[in-house]
Amino acid sequence: MGKSPSPKPGKVPPSEYPNSRARRRDRRVKRSTESTPLASGSSTPRRKSSEKNISSSNGITPAEPLINGSFEGSTDFIPFTFSDSDGESSHDKPKKENGEAQNVDTGSIRDKGKGKARDGYSPEPGLSEETSKSRREKDRQVEREWDRGKRDRGRDDVRHSTKRKHDLLFDFDDGYANKKQRLDASSRKAPWVTGIDWYKYKNVAEMLHAEVETFVHWISPSPVEDEVRGLIVTQISNIVKASFPDARVLPFGSYETKLYLPLGDIDLVILSDSMAYSNKVNVLHALANTLKRSGVTSHVTIIAKAKVPIVKFVTTHGRFNVDISLNQGNGLLSGKIINGFLKDMHGIGAEGKGSMALRSLVMVTKAFLTQRSMNEVYTGGLGSYSIVCLAVSFLQMHPKIRNSEIDPEKNLGVLVMEFFELYGCYFNYDEVGISLRDGGMYFSKRKRGWYDYDRRGILSLEDPADPSNDISKGSYGFHKVRTAFAGAHGILTSTAYLRAGMINSRRGGRSVHLRSHEESEDLSILSTVLGITQETINHRNRSSCSRASFDLVFSTDVCHP
């Protein structure tokens, strides 16, 4: 191979740059045409050089050839040494993953000894001072671009690849809407199973009935919780009446029917003639200022452009969420209707005790949908009123209950499973609507004029107070609710089969059991589809502290802490 002419002082020919096109072409030709023979007596497989063949015109002298290496008389592999003061050789440099040696940027090597330039860089070996200065200027320019926020392509690729790897850690089709739901799911517990003796039940139906009954008792408002909420309503009522003498503050919704969850909102409505004839936005702002000055809350959110304008805030004592609307009497009527159903839909021999079956279906369904963020109409889910109407219709139309073949109060577990089965798997939402009048019935959506070709599969629920009103027409995401119901039924069914096998094994003396809380949760059936978060447990524990705080507030006859 002929010797290439030496370049002019201060310039390096383009073919000598490590990443130049001519250099890469020569390297590919050399790899395809040349091969490196094995050294005599060596069993090492044949290898090709992956190092850069740097020309001696750069002033870098080859080191002594390998004596006992696996290469013999080959020019493909030429180790190099550098004469910098810190004694670092090219053999200490890391290798690239594709087998090529990493390029050594000699311009970034700082000489800690003699011969430093003014800017702190030492002259590069084999290059003139002018070339070294131009390279250093390019390095500074890159640093300035980085300071201005520009990122090179390589770092962008690394960042995006890291993000893709991070996204793979989560399955965004797992049914949860956000990170909080995933964290809550990982912290769910089953505190209601404490004290349940699973081994005294003869079949799965009895096990599930006892568990549903225990769950409803645990999740229902405790006397302390209900008393604290009542004190909050009284406190807010006193505050509002001090500024608006003709106002009446009345609770409605789940607080009035006692079907609220531990983290449920307190829904209040203010009935006032002076507010009705005033500008609604001004009244909302005046009400918000009144609440903040009283100390009942520190932050108030005004939603004035909604269909029903409300004021939202979180109380200082107990951290309860409160929603206040103005002159909306529909909620008061719906509360009376629900209380009527709870009182009248009793089981056999349960007159005057209320409907435990209806309460159980409502509480289980609300807890199930709440932990999946499907319990609000504005997010496409089912509201509390719609859930109650679904449960009422289910009990009204159940054939064995209509014929008095079963007592609903003694078959809570079976009713929960059949509730999920009916509304998750079999109900014809395209053609059929639900009415609670005259003991319950189904009607044709086409004949009623409620059929919507663009919104097929959407639930249609007739308002018991107004037959022309569809209370579920705002639940645009009901298909997700239906899918969740179907999945819950499948999970409960498969779990029930497993528990039946365990009961048979126990009867045959083929099982050993340890009476511990961990095993009690493992035997739970209901906990496979819902659970209690630590946030709920903490909120319930704070209720007793809030009760003591309210004793101090009302004893001093003050409406603020």
Side-chain angles (χ1 to χ4, degrees), residues 428-445:
N428 185 6
Y429 296 99
D430 291 346
E431 302 289 341
V432 178
I434 298 174
S435 174
L436 306 183
R437 291 182 298 163
D438 302 328
M441 63 179 180
Y442 298 142
F443 61 87
S444 172
K445 295 171 67 173

Side-chain angles (χ1 to χ4, degrees), residues 134-150:
S134 62
R135 289 192 176 184
R136 291 196 298 272
E137 187 63 29
K138 291 181 179 180
D139 291 341
R140 294 194 196 96
Q141 185 178 0
V142 172
E143 292 177 359
R144 287 195 296 270
E145 291 178 354
W146 177 264
D147 293 337
R148 288 196 297 268
K150 295 182 179 179

Side-chain angles (χ1 to χ4, degrees), residues 330-379:
N330 297 333
L332 299 175
L333 180 59
S334 63
K336 293 180 180 179
I337 293 175
I338 294 175
N339 284 330
F341 283 126
L342 289 172
K343 181 180 179 180
D344 298 336
M345 297 190 67
H346 49 75
I348 300 175
E351 291 81 358
K353 296 182 180 179
S355 177
M356 183 62 185
L358 178 58
R359 180 175 295 274
S360 300
L361 289 175
V362 172
M363 299 302 288
V364 171
T365 306
K366 289 186 68 172
F368 176 80
L369 294 179
T370 298
Q371 72 181 25
R372 290 163 175 80
S373 295
M374 299 178 183
N375 62 320
E376 298 290 349
V377 178
Y378 66 87
T379 60

Side-chain angles (χ1 to χ4, degrees), residues 252 265-269 310-313 321-325:
F252 70 97
D265 299 344
I266 300 176
D267 297 318
L268 303 176
V269 59
I310 60 174
V311 172
K312 298 176 67 70
F313 61 92
N321 295 299
V322 180
D323 296 346
I324 301 179
S325 58

Side-chain angles (χ1 to χ4, degrees), residues 67-293:
I67 299 176
N68 296 322
S70 60
F71 294 91
E72 182 181 27
S74 174
T75 59
D76 289 340
F77 179 81
I78 303 178
F80 293 96
T81 58
F82 297 89
S83 59
D84 51 344
S85 59
D86 46 3
E88 187 178 0
S89 65
S90 63
H91 301 290
D92 299 328
K93 300 295 181 182
K95 307 296 181 182
K96 289 185 177 179
E97 293 180 358
N98 58 2
E100 296 184 0
Q102 189 173 3
N103 294 334
V104 180
D105 188 5
T106 57
S108 63
I109 301 177
R110 298 173 182 265
D111 189 0
K112 298 181 180 180
K114 299 180 181 180
K116 278 188 178 181
R118 292 182 180 179
D119 53 3
Y121 286 87
S122 60
E124 301 180 19
L127 297 179
S128 64
E129 184 177 354
E130 182 181 355
T131 304
S132 300
K133 187 178 297 184
S134 62
R135 289 192 176 184
R136 291 196 298 272
E137 187 63 29
K138 291 181 179 180
D139 291 341
R140 294 194 196 96
Q141 185 178 0
V142 172
E143 292 177 359
R144 287 195 296 270
E145 291 178 354
W146 177 264
D147 293 337
R148 288 196 297 268
K150 295 182 179 179
R151 290 168 171 80
D152 55 5
R153 184 175 181 180
R155 292 184 181 272
D156 260 340
D157 294 341
V158 171
R159 186 177 72 253
H160 293 317
S161 63
T162 305
K163 184 176 181 180
R164 286 194 296 269
K165 292 178 182 177
H166 177 72
D167 290 345
L168 294 177
L169 298 177
F170 299 99
D171 180 13
F172 291 100
D173 294 329
D174 55 4
Y176 301 110
N178 48 48
K179 182 180 178 181
K180 182 180 182 301
Q181 289 187 19
R182 296 183 180 92
L183 295 177
D184 289 343
S186 62
S187 68
R188 285 198 200 109
K189 301 177 182 179
W192 65 86
V193 301
T194 304
I196 296 180
D197 187 7
W198 299 106
Y199 300 98
K200 71 177 183 180
Y201 302 111
K202 300 179 181 179
N203 51 56
V204 177
E206 292 183 0
M207 291 177 61
L208 188 55
H209 169 79
E211 186 175 4
V212 170
E213 190 175 26
T214 308
F215 172 81
V216 174
H217 177 73
W218 192 97
I219 203 70
S220 296
S222 64
V224 175
E225 284 180 296
D226 196 58
E227 185 179 5
V228 170
R229 288 176 181 252
L231 293 174
I232 290 175
V233 173
T234 303
Q235 184 185 23
I236 295 175
S237 178
N238 294 337
I239 293 170
V240 173
K241 288 180 179 180
S243 299
F244 305 92
D246 66 331
R248 289 186 300 155
V249 181
L250 302 175
F252 70 97
S254 58
Y255 172 74
E256 184 183 3
T257 59
K258 309 304 177 187
L259 294 175
Y260 59 85
L261 300 177
L263 296 179
D265 299 344
I266 300 176
D267 297 318
L268 303 176
V269 59
I270 299 178
L271 302 179
S272 172
D273 293 336
S274 61
M275 290 182 177
Y277 292 105
S278 302
N279 184 273
K280 188 172 295 185
V281 177
N282 295 336
V283 171
L284 292 175
H285 282 278
L287 179 61
N289 293 332
T290 301
L291 294 171
K292 285 192 292 185
R293 286 196 303 267

